[in-house]
Amino acid sequence: MGGESEKWALMVTGRTPTNIAVIKYWGKRDETLILPINDSISVTLDPDHLCTTTTVSVSPSFDQDRMWLNGKEISLSVGEFQSCLREIRSRATDFEDKKKGIKITKDDWQKLHLHIASYNNFPTAAGLASSAAGLACLVFSLAKLMNVKEDYGQLSAIARQGSGSACRSLYGGFVKWIMGKEGDGSDSIAVQLADENHWDELVIIIAVVSARQKETSSTSGMRDTVETSLLIQHRAPKRIIQMEDAIKNRDFPSFARLACADSNQFHAVCLDTYPPIFYMNDTSHRIISCVEKWNRAEGTPQVAYTFDAGPNAVLVARNRKTAALLLQRLLFHFPPQSDTNLDSYVIGDKTILQDVGVQDMKDVEALTPPPEIKDYIPTQKSKGDVSYFICTRPGRGPVVLSDESQALLDPVTGLPK
Ligand code: ADE
């Protein structure tokens, strides 16, 4: 393997975005391989605001595979990690660094152990698809380390086996996960529909809604749906083609109608499941109502909403101007608690907040009801129902961070920095 003292370590650090489905994935036809019962489409979110960074390292001095998530050691023995590690290791190819005197053959990779450190730049338990970004980043970084020659489509099929929606985080922009037909899942892969520059006017605002209780896990929820819901059979496959067209033509009204209708249908399917699943809460419903009223008053959609398996709202505004008008409405209806700093209540792209012209809590308190609200009753304001807002946009796919200062593992000890 080279390196006379066996003290060498090789390291790769990758950064991978999260994604939000605008045509939802819900229901598996194969639980082990994670094969879905429908195609889905997502928007990749800007990794500057939401991403996972993962450093993977290999060294003959490591005596077992180990992983740290957000600084805390976690077990790698769970199925989703094992599937990804096995699939990547089986595709490893010979590697040589003549300068460092390191040579690793295809067979060496099967015996060498790994250290992995991963960090999410957003709260892991906030229901913001951290496992999608996390598993995509693990697969991407390992593939680079082990000199895997497969293309991103094939890597997406490996990430899929870790967490279904992770396959869509292998690309930036607008991504389709094709359900595929093969029993082995080889054609259940992600493809890029358009990159992040194709429709760069869009602005995304995420309302992180305070959840009082833990929701049903997606895995068990999906299983219950497939077994008990009749409504799931009526999900419209035509929406995939219509959404592809809307994205291709940057047709915002169609994009918004399709995204909202699919989110609502997904939650209707959850309600049609036995036992019924409730992911949205009262705050989620009030956000929908705020957007619907405004869209109706304007005569054409200004904002799309979509909700995953949790109460958080992901809102897509057609441009910066509508994003500022949206944030103004959101701050009016869902102001922070009086002791909250506005700077920590609206995070991500702060320029949207500047466009609203709101600088402090006094400005938030001075906001007047939007014109579409005819019968406003002051008691309707709900302080503290939203934890915070994240302003972001469609973003790029995975990248390798070549600057060693960004690595999460110490090159000498192989432990988290
Ligand atoms: N689950 C949530 N975040 C993750 C991460 N960064 N890596 C792997 N699994 C995760």
Side-chain angles (χ1 to χ4, degrees), residues 51-54 67-70 74 80-81 116-120 122 124-125 129-138:
C51 72
T52 294
T53 303
T54 300
M67 177 163 179
W68 294 263
L69 174 57
N70 298 325
I74 59 165
E80 45 270 42
F81 290 132
I116 302 163
S118 192
Y119 171 77
N120 301 327
F122 55 94
T124 300
S130 56
S131 61
L135 271 300
C137 204
L138 178 69

